[in-house]
Amino acid sequence: MDIQLKKGLLEACVLAALKKEESYGYKIISDISPYIEISESTLYPILKRLEAGTYLTTRTVEISGRLRKYYMITEAGKRRLIEYTEDLDELERVHKFIYRAINR
């Protein structure tokens, strides 16, 4: 898959994973992995980028003597997720066009 396309899809998946409740890195990976391949080395730069873009906020909690960072979607992140779905609708229309062209 094209790296730029996958990057956008992964950002949308992260926001979608956080839509209903806050979460942490390992849980986000396990929520997304059935749908698209993602590793820790891919996830954390995405989380930093989304946080820098004000699409996410964070809080840190101590659990069993270790710090765990929780990520929460912001209102801007929810709006961005809607924009991603609009982009995906357009991508689906393009996909149908290309598919028809290939199968003529």
Side-chain angles (χ1 to χ4, degrees), residues 21-66:
E21 64 184 0
E22 68 181 13
S23 193
Y24 55 95
Y26 181 78
K27 175 95 168 64
I28 294 168
I29 289 172
S30 66
D31 290 343
I32 294 172
S33 290
Y35 306 99
I36 190 168
E37 185 179 327
I38 186 168
S39 65
E40 285 184 35
S41 62
T42 301
L43 176 65
Y44 288 102
I46 290 170
L47 290 169
K48 285 182 182 268
R49 192 168 46 253
L50 290 171
E51 186 179 6
T54 70
Y55 302 121
L56 300 179
T57 59
T58 62
R59 71 182 181 97
T60 303
V61 176
E62 185 175 336
I63 298 177
S64 301
R66 296 182 54 147

Side-chain angles (χ1 to χ4, degrees), residues 8-22:
L9 291 173
L10 286 171
E11 287 182 1
C13 288
V14 168
L15 292 173
L18 296 170
K19 177 72 169 61
K20 291 195 186 268
E21 64 184 0
E22 68 181 13

Side-chain angles (χ1 to χ4, degrees), residues 38-101:
I38 186 168
S39 65
E40 285 184 35
S41 62
T42 301
L43 176 65
Y44 288 102
I46 290 170
L47 290 169
K48 285 182 182 268
R49 192 168 46 253
L50 290 171
E51 186 179 6
T54 70
Y55 302 121
L56 300 179
T57 59
T58 62
R59 71 182 181 97
T60 303
V61 176
E62 185 175 336
I63 298 177
S64 301
R66 296 182 54 147
L67 295 178
R68 178 181 288 170
K69 191 181 245 188
Y70 282 84
Y71 299 88
M72 295 141 297
I73 193 169
T74 64
E75 288 303 314
K78 291 174 185 175
R79 288 190 301 274
R80 183 65 186 123
L81 185 55
I82 291 168
E83 291 170 3
Y84 278 124
T85 61
E86 292 166 354
D87 293 344
L88 290 173
D89 289 343
E90 183 178 355
L91 185 59
E92 184 177 357
R93 288 190 303 274
V94 170
H95 172 262
K96 287 178 182 177
F97 170 74
I98 293 169
Y99 184 82
R100 283 193 307 267

